[in-house]
Amino acid sequence: LSQTSLGHKNIVKKGNLADGPALDVTAHDVTAETLSGKLYVSGIEPLDGRRARYQVRLVEANLKDCLLDLGEPNPQTNGDLWMQCDLTGSFTNLSSMEGKGNVWLRNANLYQLPIMIRLFNLLSVRPDQSAFDAVDISFGIDGDRIPIEKLSLDGNLVSLTGTGWVNMRRAVHLNLDANVSRRTIVGAVMRPLQ
């Protein structure tokens, strides 16, 4: 952890900065070891009935252990997870929550998920050829609905981009486009031409 002159800590993944994002947290944030990572929460809860504002940051969490902590009985994936979210509303009334956030997943093995196996079959690609190991998600929060404004899955052979939504009842709707990954020679040549 490094301290800046403004009293903020710049949290980065140990090692290569490209492996994870830098997230700013203040020295006054409530900090907890939870969800298999470090959770930083700050905010304002007005006493006059106005909407509360919260900033939530999850740093260097292990995806499999995080899913176990959230009650998923047998998660079939792994990876390093970071999340930042800015919220307004009330935690006692989740339907009033609004906000925006980002999720970054690195060093993942998403090819083990049943939904990914079906997706690879649709694309006629073997999972071991194009395992998605990096995911970036920008999302909104509108009550119990979470619009996915941008979803990027990056793999060795194929990359997917798209939009969609999920909700608290675990319904998922995604619109995805498949592309040749930037990591291939064809992708490296063709991407700049698009």
Side-chain angles (χ1 to χ4, degrees):
L1 304 180
S2 63
Q3 192 81 3
T4 68
S5 60
L6 296 176
H8 287 81
K9 295 177 188 172
N10 190 20
I11 309 298
V12 296
K13 181 168 174 31
K14 294 176 182 78
N16 186 351
L17 181 62
D19 289 342
L23 301 177
D24 290 329
V25 297
T26 68
H28 302 290
D29 290 350
V30 174
T31 306
E33 296 281 336
T34 186
L35 300 174
S36 84
K38 197 162 218 175
L39 185 69
Y40 296 87
V41 179
S42 64
I44 298 172
E45 181 76 42
L47 298 176
D48 60 3
R50 290 183 296 159
R51 296 171 59 90
R53 292 186 314 228
Y54 305 101
Q55 289 185 328
V56 180
R57 309 290 189 255
L58 180 62
V59 177
E60 293 184 340
N62 176 280
L63 179 61
K64 183 174 186 171
D65 294 338
C66 182
L67 291 172
L68 284 169
D69 289 349
L70 290 170
E72 190 68 30
N74 188 20
Q76 298 294 313
T77 188
N78 216 337
D80 301 319
L81 176 69
W82 293 262
M83 185 269 309
Q84 72 176 8
C85 191
D86 298 322
L87 302 166
T88 59
S90 170
F91 282 123
T92 60
N93 180 7
L94 292 181
S95 65
S96 74
M97 295 299 274
E98 294 177 345
K100 289 192 172 287
N102 295 292
V103 172
W104 300 270
L105 182 61
R106 298 292 182 268
N107 306 315
N109 58 359
L110 299 179
Y111 63 90
Q112 294 178 347
L113 295 172
I115 190 168
M116 290 308 213
I117 293 170
R118 290 193 297 270
L119 181 63
F120 288 134
N121 287 337
L122 277 173
L123 296 171
S124 299
V125 175
R126 287 193 340 253
D128 60 336
Q129 287 180 317
S130 61
F132 296 118
D133 60 4
V135 178
D136 295 335
I137 303 171
S138 295
F139 62 91
I141 296 175
D142 186 11
D144 76 337
R145 187 177 165 123
I146 302 171
I148 299 171
E149 297 162 359
K150 183 177 180 186
L151 171 67
S152 298
L153 294 113
D154 194 25
N156 293 325
L157 185 61
V158 177
S159 66
L160 299 175
T161 56
T163 61
W165 57 265
V166 298
N167 65 26
M168 298 299 180
R169 293 177 301 282
R170 294 186 173 203
V172 177
H173 177 83
L174 296 175
N175 298 310
L176 298 172
D177 294 319
N179 296 297
V180 176
S181 176
R182 290 184 295 256
R183 298 179 194 175
T184 66
I185 293 172
V186 173
V189 171
M190 297 303 289
R191 288 276 177 147
L193 301 176
Q194 294 179 351

